[in-house]
Amino acid sequence: MNQDQLHRYLFDNADVRGEMVQLQQSYQQVLATHQYPARIQTLLGELLAATSLLTATLKFNGDISVQLQSKGPVSLAVINGTNNQQLRGVARWQGEIADDATLQQLFPDGYMAITVTPEEGERYQGVVALDKATVAQCLEDYFAQSEQLPTGIWLFADGHHAAGMLLQVLPSEQPQREDFEHLLQLTATISAEELYQLPAREILHRLYHQEDLRLFEPIDISFRCSCSRERCAAAIRTLDKAEIDSVIAERGAVEMDCEYCNSHYRFDAIDVEAIFNITNAPERQQ
């Protein structure tokens, strides 16, 4: 049974939708690529849960990137997610990272950029300051500013499990703020341990047993990196061949590493000649 799943639900008597995500294996696969300090492990777990929740809001094929940046101890933390709930992520840091470091200590004067890239149509981005105590509160700011939809978000991670919940008012001619506030109060009673250990149906029953709720089929979540030898070859093809030849003369090969999954790609002189011969091959006459 896949323990990495997203669960979506609707309240029949309120214009509010909900999501719940539980992650374990995909979270561990993201952490396995680097020796992250404990605080960055929890940060990446929260961002994984957040990205899954955000990706579920997509109404088209495409992907979402949630990226935190600063000139502080953590220069970058980014998670990419597709509409098929395929996730990957990486962080860059320097120096010692305290287990109890606050978000502002990790990212002084930092910002969060959320980029939505549809397969068809224009890419767009929203940016908010990392000036709140938690990633969840910064994301709530993002929704208030960009979507203008009241949203509640809860995120948890401990280095082994990651989880999160989202409640959002649906666009409506007569939104019922009181209903939303009531559901927020119920959801805020959730604990990290419940989300880590209990099945989705039991969690939702505990939280909303007096509410009329429709739960949809769960969506499986997986770790998947989009790197490949073909993509690396395409990147080489965009460079000046003389520059590539000089690298091969000096080092014997062009080598490329994927930050997300640590895959290593090596292209020697024969590989490079083949790459550029394909690029420069004359078109076949019809």
Side-chain angles (χ1 to χ4, degrees), residues 237 271-282:
R237 204 174 292 132
D271 296 325
V272 169
E273 286 299 324
I275 289 170
F276 281 93
N277 282 339
I278 291 172
T279 303
N280 299 323

Side-chain angles (χ1 to χ4, degrees), residues 60-62 117-122:
F60 47 78
N61 291 341
T117 308
E119 289 183 4
E120 296 181 5
E122 292 189 9

Side-chain angles (χ1 to χ4, degrees), residues 42-140:
T42 60
L43 173 71
L44 285 172
E46 291 179 5
L47 288 176
L48 276 167
T51 305
S52 176
L53 295 170
L54 291 178
T55 302
T57 68
L58 289 178
K59 297 177 177 63
F60 47 78
N61 291 341
D63 63 72
I64 285 182
S65 168
V66 179
Q67 182 171 307
L68 310 188
Q69 281 192 272
S70 79
K71 295 182 179 178
V74 184
S75 59
L76 173 73
V78 59
I79 304 294
N80 299 123
T82 71
N83 61 288
N84 294 322
Q85 288 294 327
Q86 295 172 335
L87 304 175
R88 64 174 187 164
V90 71
R92 298 179 196 148
W93 81 99
Q94 59 183 1
E96 295 292 323
I97 303 294
D99 291 351
D100 59 353
T102 66
L103 193 61
Q104 282 70 42
Q105 288 171 337
L106 296 176
F107 298 93
D109 298 317
Y111 65 89
M112 172 189 291
I114 298 175
T115 307
V116 179
T117 308
E119 289 183 4
E120 296 181 5
E122 292 189 9
R123 176 175 174 263
Y124 60 94
Q125 185 179 77
V127 178
V128 293
L130 291 174
D131 56 2
K132 299 294 187 292
T134 67
V135 171
Q137 290 170 346
C138 293
L139 280 168
E140 289 172 353

Side-chain angles (χ1 to χ4, degrees), residues 21-278:
V21 61
Q22 297 170 304
L23 302 167
Q24 188 170 5
Q25 185 176 355
S26 55
Y27 179 29
Q28 293 307 308
Q29 287 176 289
V30 167
L31 297 184
T33 60
H34 298 277
Q35 295 297 316
Y36 290 119
R39 180 65 181 91
I40 294 182
Q41 291 184 16
T42 60
L43 173 71
L44 285 172
E46 291 179 5
L47 288 176
L48 276 167
T51 305
S52 176
L53 295 170
L54 291 178
T55 302
T57 68
L58 289 178
K59 297 177 177 63
F60 47 78
N61 291 341
D63 63 72
I64 285 182
S65 168
V66 179
Q67 182 171 307
L68 310 188
Q69 281 192 272
S70 79
K71 295 182 179 178
V74 184
S75 59
L76 173 73
V78 59
I79 304 294
N80 299 123
T82 71
N83 61 288
N84 294 322
Q85 288 294 327
Q86 295 172 335
L87 304 175
R88 64 174 187 164
V90 71
R92 298 179 196 148
W93 81 99
Q94 59 183 1
E96 295 292 323
I97 303 294
D99 291 351
D100 59 353
T102 66
L103 193 61
Q104 282 70 42
Q105 288 171 337
L106 296 176
F107 298 93
D109 298 317
Y111 65 89
M112 172 189 291
I114 298 175
T115 307
V116 179
T117 308
E119 289 183 4
E120 296 181 5
E122 292 189 9
R123 176 175 174 263
Y124 60 94
Q125 185 179 77
V127 178
V128 293
L130 291 174
D131 56 2
K132 299 294 187 292
T134 67
V135 171
Q137 290 170 346
C138 293
L139 280 168
E140 289 172 353
D141 262 10
Y142 163 78
F143 275 107
Q145 293 179 28
S146 66
E147 307 286 338
Q148 298 182 342
L149 291 172
T151 305
I153 296 175
W154 297 262
L155 301 172
F156 306 94
D158 65 359
H160 301 285
H161 307 83
M165 297 191 73
L166 178 148
L167 282 188
Q168 189 173 71
V169 172
L170 292 168
S172 170
E173 293 182 2
Q174 295 179 325
Q176 300 297 318
R177 183 76 196 196
E178 294 174 359
D179 291 340
F180 182 60
E181 293 292 342
H182 169 64
L183 294 171
L184 282 179
Q185 292 175 10
L186 294 179
T187 311
T189 63
I190 192 66
S191 70
E193 288 70 26
E194 286 174 309
L195 279 173
Y196 296 158
Q197 298 172 10
L198 298 180
R201 287 186 178 276
E202 184 173 345
I203 293 170
L204 295 178
H205 177 73
R206 287 190 180 196
L207 291 176
Y208 311 121
H209 60 276
Q210 293 184 328
E211 310 298 324
D212 292 325
L213 179 148
R214 277 184 289 159
L215 177 63
F216 299 97
E217 285 296 313
I219 302 170
D220 289 343
I221 301 167
S222 61
F223 169 82
R224 185 172 185 272
C225 189
S226 59
C227 76
S228 68
R229 187 171 180 84
E230 290 73 22
R231 285 195 171 204
C232 291
I236 291 172
R237 204 174 292 132
T238 65
L239 302 174
D240 182 69
K241 186 170 185 300
E243 182 181 344
I244 297 295
D245 288 340
S246 68
V247 171
I248 291 177
E250 179 184 346
R251 303 178 187 175
V254 175
E255 297 183 285
M256 304 174 75
D257 296 305
C258 176
E259 274 192 297
Y260 288 95
C261 66
N262 272 351
S263 293
H264 178 78
Y265 301 96
R266 185 178 188 276
F267 298 86
D268 61 19
I270 295 174
D271 296 325
V272 169
E273 286 299 324
I275 289 170
F276 281 93
N277 282 339
I278 291 172

